[in-house]
Tab-separated table of all heavy atoms in Angstrom:
chain	number	residue	atom	x	y	z
B	37	LEU	N	-274.252	-172.059	-53.230
B	37	LEU	CA	-272.993	-172.728	-52.887
B	37	LEU	C	-272.088	-171.833	-52.043
B	37	LEU	O	-271.844	-170.678	-52.376
B	37	LEU	CB	-272.267	-173.116	-54.182
B	37	LEU	CG	-270.912	-173.780	-54.032
B	37	LEU	CD1	-271.060	-175.197	-53.530
B	37	LEU	CD2	-270.157	-173.771	-55.355
B	38	HIS	N	-271.635	-172.394	-50.921
B	38	HIS	CA	-270.653	-171.699	-50.081
B	38	HIS	C	-269.459	-172.628	-49.924
B	38	HIS	O	-269.588	-173.707	-49.367
B	38	HIS	CB	-271.223	-171.441	-48.678
B	38	HIS	CG	-272.299	-170.400	-48.648
B	38	HIS	ND1	-272.081	-169.121	-48.228
B	38	HIS	CD2	-273.599	-170.462	-49.001
B	38	HIS	CE1	-273.201	-168.427	-48.304
B	38	HIS	NE2	-274.149	-169.221	-48.769
B	39	THR	N	-268.319	-172.233	-50.402
B	39	THR	CA	-267.105	-173.011	-50.178
B	39	THR	C	-266.123	-172.140	-49.400
B	39	THR	O	-265.757	-171.056	-49.853
B	39	THR	CB	-266.470	-173.448	-51.508
B	39	THR	OG1	-267.449	-174.124	-52.269
B	39	THR	CG2	-265.281	-174.365	-51.276
B	40	HIS	N	-265.746	-172.620	-48.231
B	40	HIS	CA	-264.833	-171.842	-47.393
B	40	HIS	C	-263.545	-172.627	-47.159
B	40	HIS	O	-263.529	-173.844	-47.207
B	40	HIS	CB	-265.479	-171.531	-46.033
B	40	HIS	CG	-266.666	-170.625	-46.146
B	40	HIS	ND1	-267.391	-170.223	-45.068
B	40	HIS	CD2	-267.258	-170.043	-47.228
B	40	HIS	CE1	-268.377	-169.428	-45.457
B	40	HIS	NE2	-268.321	-169.322	-46.765
B	41	PHE	N	-262.476	-171.887	-46.930
B	41	PHE	CA	-261.209	-172.523	-46.602
B	41	PHE	C	-260.861	-172.208	-45.152
B	41	PHE	O	-260.820	-171.041	-44.754
B	41	PHE	CB	-260.106	-172.019	-47.544
B	41	PHE	CG	-260.228	-172.599	-48.919
B	41	PHE	CD1	-261.122	-172.063	-49.831
B	41	PHE	CD2	-259.485	-173.712	-49.286
B	41	PHE	CE1	-261.266	-172.620	-51.091
B	41	PHE	CE2	-259.620	-174.270	-50.543
B	41	PHE	CZ	-260.510	-173.725	-51.454
B	42	PHE	N	-260.626	-173.268	-44.390
B	42	PHE	CA	-260.348	-173.086	-42.967
B	42	PHE	C	-258.850	-173.108	-42.741
B	42	PHE	O	-258.235	-174.162	-42.601
B	42	PHE	CB	-261.044	-174.184	-42.154
B	42	PHE	CG	-262.543	-174.121	-42.300
B	42	PHE	CD1	-263.186	-174.787	-43.344
B	42	PHE	CD2	-263.304	-173.364	-41.419
B	42	PHE	CE1	-264.566	-174.710	-43.488
B	42	PHE	CE2	-264.679	-173.282	-41.563
B	42	PHE	CZ	-265.310	-173.949	-42.602
B	43	THR	N	-258.223	-171.959	-42.758
B	43	THR	CA	-256.775	-171.890	-42.625
B	43	THR	C	-256.401	-171.492	-41.209
B	43	THR	O	-257.253	-171.154	-40.387
B	43	THR	CB	-256.193	-170.847	-43.589
B	43	THR	OG1	-256.640	-169.548	-43.169
B	43	THR	CG2	-256.661	-171.069	-45.008
B	44	GLU	N	-255.099	-171.501	-40.954
B	44	GLU	CA	-254.607	-171.107	-39.620
B	44	GLU	C	-254.944	-169.657	-39.317
B	44	GLU	O	-255.072	-169.258	-38.175
B	44	GLU	CB	-253.091	-171.275	-39.562
B	44	GLU	CG	-252.667	-172.712	-39.365
B	44	GLU	CD	-251.163	-172.851	-39.478
B	44	GLU	OE1	-250.462	-171.827	-39.457
B	44	GLU	OE2	-250.708	-173.994	-39.602
B	45	ASN	N	-255.052	-168.879	-40.394
B	45	ASN	CA	-255.329	-167.450	-40.194
B	45	ASN	C	-256.819	-167.130	-40.259
B	45	ASN	O	-257.198	-166.004	-40.544
B	45	ASN	CB	-254.589	-166.622	-41.237
B	45	ASN	CG	-253.107	-166.861	-41.182
B	45	ASN	OD1	-252.547	-167.054	-40.124
B	45	ASN	ND2	-252.487	-166.881	-42.351
B	46	GLY	N	-257.633	-168.136	-40.053
B	46	GLY	CA	-259.069	-167.886	-40.048
B	46	GLY	C	-259.754	-168.452	-41.277
B	46	GLY	O	-259.118	-169.014	-42.173
B	47	VAL	N	-261.056	-168.265	-41.313
B	47	VAL	CA	-261.860	-168.810	-42.405
B	47	VAL	C	-261.824	-167.864	-43.597
B	47	VAL	O	-262.032	-166.659	-43.455
B	47	VAL	CB	-263.324	-169.003	-41.947
B	47	VAL	CG1	-264.156	-169.602	-43.071
B	47	VAL	CG2	-263.372	-169.888	-40.723
B	48	ILE	N	-261.525	-168.423	-44.760
B	48	ILE	CA	-261.532	-167.606	-45.970
B	48	ILE	C	-262.734	-167.997	-46.822
B	48	ILE	O	-262.803	-169.114	-47.341
B	48	ILE	CB	-260.212	-167.773	-46.741
B	48	ILE	CG1	-259.081	-167.204	-45.894
B	48	ILE	CG2	-260.289	-167.059	-48.086
B	48	ILE	CD1	-257.724	-167.403	-46.463
B	49	PRO	N	-263.712	-167.104	-46.938
B	49	PRO	CA	-264.920	-167.435	-47.697
B	49	PRO	C	-264.709	-167.219	-49.194
B	49	PRO	O	-264.949	-166.138	-49.704
B	49	PRO	CB	-265.949	-166.458	-47.133
B	49	PRO	CG	-265.147	-165.292	-46.634
B	49	PRO	CD	-263.753	-165.741	-46.398
B	50	SER	N	-264.224	-168.243	-49.900
B	50	SER	CA	-263.891	-168.073	-51.311
B	50	SER	C	-265.126	-167.960	-52.186
B	50	SER	O	-265.162	-167.179	-53.124
B	50	SER	CB	-263.048	-169.249	-51.801
B	50	SER	OG	-261.803	-169.205	-51.210
B	51	VAL	N	-266.120	-168.804	-51.892
B	51	VAL	CA	-267.365	-168.756	-52.649
B	51	VAL	C	-268.491	-168.561	-51.655
B	51	VAL	O	-268.593	-169.281	-50.665
B	51	VAL	CB	-267.578	-170.048	-53.463
B	51	VAL	CG1	-268.933	-170.030	-54.146
B	51	VAL	CG2	-266.481	-170.200	-54.509
B	52	ASN	N	-269.332	-167.585	-51.925
B	52	ASN	CA	-270.324	-167.169	-50.951
B	52	ASN	C	-271.709	-167.067	-51.572
B	52	ASN	O	-272.104	-166.024	-52.053
B	52	ASN	CB	-269.931	-165.789	-50.431
B	52	ASN	CG	-269.598	-165.857	-48.971
B	52	ASN	OD1	-270.123	-166.706	-48.259
B	52	ASN	ND2	-268.730	-164.975	-48.533
B	53	GLY	N	-272.411	-168.185	-51.583
B	53	GLY	CA	-273.779	-168.128	-52.080
B	53	GLY	C	-273.905	-167.975	-53.573
B	53	GLY	O	-274.545	-167.054	-54.062
B	54	VAL	N	-273.278	-168.881	-54.312
B	54	VAL	CA	-273.354	-168.817	-55.773
B	54	VAL	C	-274.441	-169.764	-56.265
B	54	VAL	O	-274.495	-170.916	-55.857
B	54	VAL	CB	-271.990	-169.176	-56.393
B	54	VAL	CG1	-272.118	-169.519	-57.863
B	54	VAL	CG2	-271.015	-168.026	-56.217
B	55	SER	N	-275.317	-169.259	-57.120
B	55	SER	CA	-276.364	-170.094	-57.713
B	55	SER	C	-276.417	-169.822	-59.210
B	55	SER	O	-276.434	-168.670	-59.624
B	55	SER	CB	-277.737	-169.745	-57.142
B	55	SER	OG	-277.718	-169.823	-55.749
B	56	PHE	N	-276.409	-170.879	-59.982
B	56	PHE	CA	-276.649	-170.723	-61.416
B	56	PHE	C	-277.029	-172.086	-61.963
B	56	PHE	O	-276.921	-173.099	-61.271
B	56	PHE	CB	-275.427	-170.148	-62.143
B	56	PHE	CG	-274.207	-171.007	-62.114
B	56	PHE	CD1	-273.951	-171.914	-63.131
B	56	PHE	CD2	-273.307	-170.922	-61.060
B	56	PHE	CE1	-272.828	-172.709	-63.101
B	56	PHE	CE2	-272.176	-171.726	-61.024
B	56	PHE	CZ	-271.935	-172.617	-62.054
B	57	SER	N	-277.499	-172.099	-63.193
B	57	SER	CA	-277.850	-173.388	-63.761
B	57	SER	C	-277.363	-173.467	-65.202
B	57	SER	O	-277.141	-172.449	-65.851
B	57	SER	CB	-279.359	-173.594	-63.716
B	57	SER	OG	-279.987	-172.560	-64.425
B	58	VAL	N	-277.179	-174.691	-65.656
B	58	VAL	CA	-276.705	-174.917	-67.014
B	58	VAL	C	-277.691	-175.836	-67.707
B	58	VAL	O	-278.003	-176.913	-67.204
B	58	VAL	CB	-275.313	-175.591	-67.010
B	58	VAL	CG1	-274.778	-175.708	-68.422
B	58	VAL	CG2	-274.340	-174.821	-66.136
B	59	LYS	N	-278.192	-175.403	-68.851
B	59	LYS	CA	-279.128	-176.236	-69.598
B	59	LYS	C	-278.367	-177.168	-70.523
B	59	LYS	O	-277.185	-176.975	-70.784
B	59	LYS	CB	-280.053	-175.355	-70.437
B	59	LYS	CG	-280.954	-174.469	-69.613
B	59	LYS	CD	-281.985	-173.814	-70.514
B	59	LYS	CE	-282.884	-172.899	-69.731
B	59	LYS	NZ	-282.256	-171.599	-69.440
B	60	LYS	N	-279.077	-178.157	-71.022
B	60	LYS	CA	-278.439	-179.111	-71.930
B	60	LYS	C	-277.987	-178.372	-73.198
B	60	LYS	O	-278.737	-177.610	-73.791
B	60	LYS	CB	-279.452	-180.204	-72.271
B	60	LYS	CG	-278.902	-181.320	-73.104
B	60	LYS	CD	-278.841	-182.636	-72.318
B	60	LYS	CE	-277.986	-183.677	-73.029
B	60	LYS	NZ	-276.554	-183.418	-72.930
B	61	GLY	N	-276.745	-178.586	-73.591
B	61	GLY	CA	-276.233	-177.985	-74.818
B	61	GLY	C	-275.857	-176.528	-74.703
B	61	GLY	O	-275.403	-175.930	-75.670
B	62	GLU	N	-276.005	-175.970	-73.515
B	62	GLU	CA	-275.727	-174.547	-73.352
B	62	GLU	C	-274.253	-174.314	-73.005
B	62	GLU	O	-273.618	-175.132	-72.348
B	62	GLU	CB	-276.610	-174.007	-72.226
B	62	GLU	CG	-276.595	-172.503	-72.091
B	62	GLU	CD	-277.506	-172.028	-70.962
B	62	GLU	OE1	-277.566	-172.686	-69.918
B	62	GLU	OE2	-278.149	-170.995	-71.148
B	63	VAL	N	-273.728	-173.186	-73.467
B	63	VAL	CA	-272.368	-172.809	-73.113
B	63	VAL	C	-272.463	-171.598	-72.206
B	63	VAL	O	-272.956	-170.549	-72.619
B	63	VAL	CB	-271.532	-172.448	-74.357
B	63	VAL	CG1	-270.109	-172.072	-73.955
B	63	VAL	CG2	-271.511	-173.596	-75.349
B	64	ILE	N	-272.046	-171.757	-70.960
B	64	ILE	CA	-272.084	-170.577	-70.106
B	64	ILE	C	-270.670	-170.179	-69.715
B	64	ILE	O	-269.758	-171.009	-69.646
B	64	ILE	CB	-273.003	-170.727	-68.860
B	64	ILE	CG1	-272.265	-171.365	-67.696
B	64	ILE	CG2	-274.265	-171.477	-69.157
B	64	ILE	CD1	-272.891	-170.911	-66.403
B	65	GLY	N	-270.461	-168.902	-69.542
B	65	GLY	CA	-269.139	-168.389	-69.200
B	65	GLY	C	-269.151	-167.816	-67.806
B	65	GLY	O	-270.090	-167.126	-67.426
B	66	ILE	N	-268.116	-168.139	-67.032
B	66	ILE	CA	-267.949	-167.485	-65.739
B	66	ILE	C	-266.740	-166.577	-65.865
B	66	ILE	O	-265.646	-167.034	-66.210
B	66	ILE	CB	-267.734	-168.495	-64.595
B	66	ILE	CG1	-268.915	-169.464	-64.517
B	66	ILE	CG2	-267.554	-167.774	-63.275
B	66	ILE	CD1	-268.818	-170.468	-63.387
B	67	VAL	N	-266.940	-165.293	-65.657
B	67	VAL	CA	-265.849	-164.351	-65.836
B	67	VAL	C	-265.575	-163.630	-64.531
B	67	VAL	O	-266.484	-163.392	-63.726
B	67	VAL	CB	-266.148	-163.377	-67.009
B	67	VAL	CG1	-267.329	-162.523	-66.733
B	67	VAL	CG2	-264.963	-162.514	-67.346
B	68	GLY	N	-264.322	-163.325	-64.302
B	68	GLY	CA	-263.946	-162.648	-63.065
B	68	GLY	C	-262.437	-162.599	-62.964
B	68	GLY	O	-261.738	-163.216	-63.762
B	69	GLU	N	-261.949	-161.860	-61.974
B	69	GLU	CA	-260.507	-161.716	-61.832
B	69	GLU	C	-259.977	-162.691	-60.801
B	69	GLU	O	-260.746	-163.429	-60.193
B	69	GLU	CB	-260.190	-160.275	-61.452
B	69	GLU	CG	-260.613	-159.322	-62.545
B	69	GLU	CD	-260.346	-157.887	-62.185
B	69	GLU	OE1	-261.008	-157.359	-61.298
B	69	GLU	OE2	-259.453	-157.295	-62.793
B	70	SER	N	-258.663	-162.662	-60.588
B	70	SER	CA	-258.098	-163.641	-59.663
B	70	SER	C	-258.710	-163.470	-58.275
B	70	SER	O	-258.926	-162.357	-57.817
B	70	SER	CB	-256.580	-163.521	-59.598
B	70	SER	OG	-256.168	-162.204	-59.697
B	71	GLY	N	-258.996	-164.587	-57.637
B	71	GLY	CA	-259.545	-164.544	-56.285
B	71	GLY	C	-261.041	-164.306	-56.218
B	71	GLY	O	-261.578	-164.144	-55.135
B	72	CYS	N	-261.736	-164.300	-57.365
B	72	CYS	CA	-263.171	-164.021	-57.306
B	72	CYS	C	-263.968	-165.286	-57.035
B	72	CYS	O	-265.170	-165.232	-56.847
B	72	CYS	CB	-263.650	-163.376	-58.595
B	72	CYS	SG	-263.742	-164.513	-59.972
B	73	GLY	N	-263.307	-166.435	-57.021
B	73	GLY	CA	-263.990	-167.678	-56.685
B	73	GLY	C	-264.456	-168.477	-57.881
B	73	GLY	O	-265.161	-169.464	-57.717
B	74	LYS	N	-264.045	-168.105	-59.088
B	74	LYS	CA	-264.539	-168.829	-60.260
B	74	LYS	C	-263.966	-170.243	-60.352
B	74	LYS	O	-264.696	-171.186	-60.677
B	74	LYS	CB	-264.308	-168.039	-61.557
B	74	LYS	CG	-262.881	-167.615	-61.837
B	74	LYS	CD	-262.849	-166.589	-62.970
B	74	LYS	CE	-261.466	-166.363	-63.540
B	74	LYS	NZ	-260.459	-165.912	-62.573
B	75	SER	N	-262.700	-170.389	-60.040
B	75	SER	CA	-262.118	-171.737	-60.089
B	75	SER	C	-262.611	-172.605	-58.938
B	75	SER	O	-262.864	-173.794	-59.120
B	75	SER	CB	-260.594	-171.670	-60.049
B	75	SER	OG	-260.107	-171.129	-61.242
B	76	VAL	N	-262.744	-172.008	-57.769
B	76	VAL	CA	-263.227	-172.774	-56.610
B	76	VAL	C	-264.643	-173.273	-56.885
B	76	VAL	O	-264.999	-174.402	-56.540
B	76	VAL	CB	-263.154	-171.923	-55.317
B	76	VAL	CG1	-263.767	-172.661	-54.147
B	76	VAL	CG2	-261.714	-171.562	-55.007
B	77	THR	N	-265.451	-172.449	-57.551
B	77	THR	CA	-266.805	-172.882	-57.912
B	77	THR	C	-266.746	-174.131	-58.792
B	77	THR	O	-267.461	-175.108	-58.549
B	77	THR	CB	-267.528	-171.744	-58.681
B	77	THR	OG1	-267.518	-170.588	-57.872
B	77	THR	CG2	-268.944	-172.123	-59.014
B	78	SER	N	-265.858	-174.102	-59.795
B	78	SER	CA	-265.813	-175.236	-60.712
B	78	SER	C	-265.274	-176.476	-60.020
B	78	SER	O	-265.747	-177.588	-60.255
B	78	SER	CB	-264.974	-174.888	-61.935
B	78	SER	OG	-263.636	-174.721	-61.569
B	79	LEU	N	-264.295	-176.295	-59.143
B	79	LEU	CA	-263.763	-177.448	-58.411
B	79	LEU	C	-264.816	-178.004	-57.451
B	79	LEU	O	-264.890	-179.208	-57.227
B	79	LEU	CB	-262.499	-177.064	-57.649
B	79	LEU	CG	-261.273	-176.729	-58.520
B	79	LEU	CD1	-260.147	-176.192	-57.658
B	79	LEU	CD2	-260.792	-177.945	-59.298
B	80	SER	N	-265.651	-177.116	-56.908
B	80	SER	CA	-266.704	-177.568	-56.003
B	80	SER	C	-267.705	-178.456	-56.736
B	80	SER	O	-268.203	-179.430	-56.169
B	80	SER	CB	-267.447	-176.370	-55.409
B	80	SER	OG	-266.575	-175.533	-54.713
B	81	ILE	N	-268.000	-178.111	-57.978
B	81	ILE	CA	-268.966	-178.903	-58.742
B	81	ILE	C	-268.500	-180.352	-58.831
B	81	ILE	O	-269.273	-181.286	-58.682
B	81	ILE	CB	-269.161	-178.312	-60.147
B	81	ILE	CG1	-269.812	-176.929	-60.061
B	81	ILE	CG2	-270.006	-179.240	-61.028
B	81	ILE	CD1	-269.875	-176.186	-61.363
B	82	LEU	N	-267.207	-180.544	-59.046
B	82	LEU	CA	-266.669	-181.893	-59.182
B	82	LEU	C	-266.222	-182.479	-57.849
B	82	LEU	O	-265.565	-183.504	-57.816
B	82	LEU	CB	-265.490	-181.886	-60.152
B	82	LEU	CG	-265.893	-181.901	-61.615
B	82	LEU	CD1	-264.683	-181.690	-62.491
B	82	LEU	CD2	-266.550	-183.215	-61.965
B	83	GLN	N	-266.533	-181.800	-56.768
B	83	GLN	CA	-266.134	-182.255	-55.426
B	83	GLN	C	-264.622	-182.442	-55.341
B	83	GLN	O	-264.117	-183.416	-54.807
B	83	GLN	CB	-266.824	-183.587	-55.069
B	83	GLN	CG	-268.323	-183.579	-55.248
B	83	GLN	CD	-269.000	-182.627	-54.278
B	83	GLN	OE1	-268.782	-182.689	-53.084
B	83	GLN	NE2	-269.790	-181.710	-54.799
B	84	LEU	N	-263.892	-181.515	-55.914
B	84	LEU	CA	-262.434	-181.604	-55.893
B	84	LEU	C	-261.819	-180.642	-54.875
B	84	LEU	O	-260.648	-180.304	-54.964
B	84	LEU	CB	-261.871	-181.286	-57.284
B	84	LEU	CG	-262.042	-182.381	-58.330
B	84	LEU	CD1	-261.641	-181.871	-59.702
B	84	LEU	CD2	-261.217	-183.605	-57.983
B	85	ILE	N	-262.625	-180.190	-53.933
B	85	ILE	CA	-262.107	-179.279	-52.915
B	85	ILE	C	-261.457	-180.097	-51.814
B	85	ILE	O	-262.082	-180.955	-51.206
B	85	ILE	CB	-263.247	-178.414	-52.329
B	85	ILE	CG1	-263.854	-177.534	-53.417
B	85	ILE	CG2	-262.754	-177.588	-51.160
B	85	ILE	CD1	-262.964	-176.429	-53.909
B	86	ASN	N	-260.181	-179.858	-51.593
B	86	ASN	CA	-259.465	-180.600	-50.564
B	86	ASN	C	-259.323	-179.770	-49.304
B	86	ASN	O	-259.512	-178.566	-49.320
B	86	ASN	CB	-258.078	-180.978	-51.072
B	86	ASN	CG	-258.162	-182.086	-52.087
B	86	ASN	OD1	-259.046	-182.943	-52.013
B	86	ASN	ND2	-257.264	-182.049	-53.060
B	87	LYS	N	-258.968	-180.429	-48.236
B	87	LYS	CA	-258.698	-179.746	-46.983
B	87	LYS	C	-257.631	-178.687	-47.216
B	87	LYS	O	-256.710	-178.938	-47.976
B	87	LYS	CB	-258.221	-180.752	-45.932
B	87	LYS	CG	-259.361	-181.253	-45.097
B	87	LYS	CD	-258.823	-182.095	-43.965
B	87	LYS	CE	-260.016	-182.570	-43.130
B	87	LYS	NZ	-259.649	-183.607	-42.194
B	88	PRO	N	-257.689	-177.531	-46.619
B	88	PRO	CA	-258.628	-177.083	-45.592
B	88	PRO	C	-259.941	-176.529	-46.147
B	88	PRO	O	-260.700	-175.951	-45.393
B	88	PRO	CB	-257.839	-175.988	-44.890
B	88	PRO	CG	-256.986	-175.400	-45.957
B	88	PRO	CD	-256.670	-176.509	-46.897
B	89	GLY	N	-260.183	-176.748	-47.442
B	89	GLY	CA	-261.410	-176.224	-48.027
B	89	GLY	C	-262.585	-177.148	-47.785
B	89	GLY	O	-262.415	-178.357	-47.607
B	90	LYS	N	-263.786	-176.598	-47.778
B	90	LYS	CA	-264.964	-177.423	-47.549
B	90	LYS	C	-266.187	-176.709	-48.107
B	90	LYS	O	-266.288	-175.486	-48.017
B	90	LYS	CB	-265.143	-177.647	-46.045
B	90	LYS	CG	-266.080	-178.784	-45.706
B	90	LYS	CD	-265.996	-179.088	-44.223
B	90	LYS	CE	-266.969	-180.182	-43.847
B	90	LYS	NZ	-268.292	-179.748	-43.506
Side-chain angles (χ1 to χ4, degrees):
Chain B
L37 178 73
H38 289 258
T39 306
H40 294 180
F41 286 81
F42 298 88
T43 67
E44 282 173 13
N45 302 324
V47 181
I48 294 175
S50 291
V51 175
N52 245 332
V54 163
S55 305
F56 63 92
S57 59
V58 185
K59 295 189 181 79
K60 185 112 194 75
E62 189 179 38
V63 181
I64 86 153
I66 302 182
V67 64
E69 297 179 291
S70 36
C72 73
K74 55 193 194 302
S75 291
V76 175
T77 304
S78 67
L79 292 173
S80 301
I81 294 172
L82 279 172
Q83 308 294 308
L84 285 171
I85 297 290
N86 286 328
K87 266 187 179 168
K90 196 170 178 272

